[in-house]
Every structure is written in C-alpha cells, then in structure tokens.
Amino acid sequence: MTFRRKRTAILISGRGSNMRALIERARDPSYPAEIALVLSNRPDAAGLAFAKENNIACAVADHKIYAGREEFERSMQVLLELHRIELICLAGFMRMLTPWFIGQWQGRLLNIHPALLPAYRGLKTHERAMADGVKIHGCTVHFVVLAMDEGPIIAQAAVAVRDSDTPDTLAARVLAEEHAIYPAALACVAEGRTRVQGNRVFCGDPAIESAPLRVPFDG
C-alpha cells in the first residue's frame, strides 16, 4: 500500500508559534500530514515569512476587504480547494468561523486552546486560571464545532501552577506543551486513528492512545 500524507493547511493571524511546531514535525517524511499551505487573514502576519523560508505555499485572504464573514470564508475555501487541502489546523487564527465554514470541514478542522477545556474558554486563560488559584493548568487540542472553544477533545497536556508563576511564565510552559501535543494530535487524525463518540475522541490503538497526553507536574 502506498503511503500518502494528508495535505494540511495551517490558518494563522500572527507569529504562528504552533504553526512552526507543526512545520518542524512535518519535516519527517514518515509523518502522516504534509503542511501544504499556510493561510493568513492578515497580510503582515509574521508567520508567513517562516513558512516561505521553509518552502511552504502561502496565501492571504485579508478579512478587511470583504463585505462579511461568509464572503471572506468563501474566498478561503477557494484557496483551500485550489491546494487540495484535506485537514486544517488553526494556530492563532483570530477570526470567528461561521456555521457554513465549519460545516465544510466537520471532523477535519482542529484547534489548540491554552487551557484545559472545558475550563477557561475564551481569552486571558492564564490570568484567569491564576486568579482562581488553580494548581493545574494546560492546553487542549480539539475538533472545532459551532460553539467557541468546544468540540471533542483530541489531546490535552497539563502543567503545575507554581507559587512563583506570573501569567507570562505560566504561558511559556503551557506553550511548550502546545508545541508537543498539537503535532501528536494532528498525526492521530491524519492517520485515521481517531473515532468520535458523542464528545469523546478515541484513538483506537491502546499502545498509542496515551501518547498525546503529557502531564509534566514539575511544580
């Protein structure tokens, strides 16, 4: 059987830190996903330069020039189809997606969130976690659904919240875990190992099912 990597697009709005982690992981020819396109809604997104340096196709759909969200997304859809994209990873893509677009990519659209969902949906997750005095914080990779920061969870990683932490130091440790679990979660999906039942995701292989879960309690 011929091995074929899934053509994957990464959507960014800024520096694309998680984009870089995915690109670095996908350098391995045995990795099941090929980063075939980096698409940004901002022409000045810093992550575009890194993608170009790594010989990855880049495209821009500037949301400011469109009459509405759906017109903007239909332009993105054209670009995604042009590049024969099969999977999408959101990596700091700061636009709310419409039901139409999410419907086009149901089960093939992944996002990473800097908190242990379902806790701390939305923004300023590290500040809110520290204000609540939690001892464990982390990040989540999930399938995108209509509700913001919801959807079946593919992988999570946890870190201990230290007494000496600030939101910035906590964010830095969480980000390191994001860079570990996002490529692992994408691999699970690209290889067809995920099965969704209700709001639960099963990898289907007990030998690898725990691989995306990292709990470095180093507090």
Side-chain angles (χ1 to χ4, degrees):
M1 181 181 294
T2 302
F3 172 72
R4 190 180 70 79
R5 306 169 77 193
K6 289 291 183 70
R7 293 179 62 82
T8 302
I10 305 174
L11 272 55
I12 66 171
S13 294
R15 61 176 177 157
S17 171
N18 275 297
M19 174 207 72
R20 292 181 179 227
L22 291 167
I23 289 173
E24 293 290 348
R25 184 66 182 86
R27 292 183 192 277
D28 184 346
S30 67
Y31 187 72
E34 171 193 1
I35 308 305
L37 176 68
V38 170
L39 174 58
S40 177
N41 66 304
R42 296 179 59 91
D44 60 349
L48 291 171
F50 181 84
K52 290 175 182 176
E53 291 168 4
N54 285 270
N55 300 312
I56 295 171
C58 296
V60 174
D62 188 346
H63 66 277
K64 295 180 180 178
I65 68 174
Y66 294 94
R69 289 166 59 195
E70 190 162 318
E71 290 80 0
F72 160 65
E73 291 176 350
R74 288 187 182 277
S75 178
M76 287 202 303
Q77 182 71 13
V78 169
L79 292 167
L80 294 165
E81 291 175 357
L82 178 66
H83 288 271
R84 307 188 311 281
I85 298 303
E86 299 168 278
L87 297 171
I88 297 176
C89 288
L90 305 181
F93 185 69
M94 304 303 290
R95 301 295 299 173
M96 290 291 292
L97 297 170
T98 67
W100 176 82
F101 188 85
I102 293 171
Q104 302 298 309
W105 294 94
Q106 186 174 8
R108 300 184 294 152
L109 178 59
L110 285 67
N111 183 48
I112 189 157
H113 182 71
L116 293 172
L117 294 175
Y120 303 113
R121 298 183 176 101
L123 302 175
K124 297 187 178 298
T125 59
H126 311 304
E127 292 89 341
R128 291 158 56 202
M130 291 190 66
D132 285 345
V134 302
K135 298 299 184 184
I136 303 298
H137 190 46
C139 51
T140 303
V141 182
H142 64 99
F143 287 115
V144 176
V145 296
L146 294 180
M148 184 182 71
D149 296 332
E150 294 190 16
I153 292 170
I154 304 166
Q156 290 185 306
V159 300
V161 181
R162 300 169 178 166
D163 292 344
S164 59
D165 266 327
T166 67
D168 287 342
T169 61
L170 181 57
R173 291 206 314 286
V174 170
L175 186 62
E177 296 305 317
E178 292 178 36
H179 294 169
I181 67 167
Y182 211 174
L186 174 59
C188 286
V189 176
E191 288 183 347
R193 291 194 263 118
T194 53
R195 174 175 59 88
V196 179
Q197 182 175 324
N199 207 44
R200 297 185 65 190
V201 177
F202 299 88
C203 287
D205 184 349
I208 57 86
E209 190 171 14
S210 64
L213 175 62
R214 294 161 52 88
V215 189
F217 295 128
D218 56 354

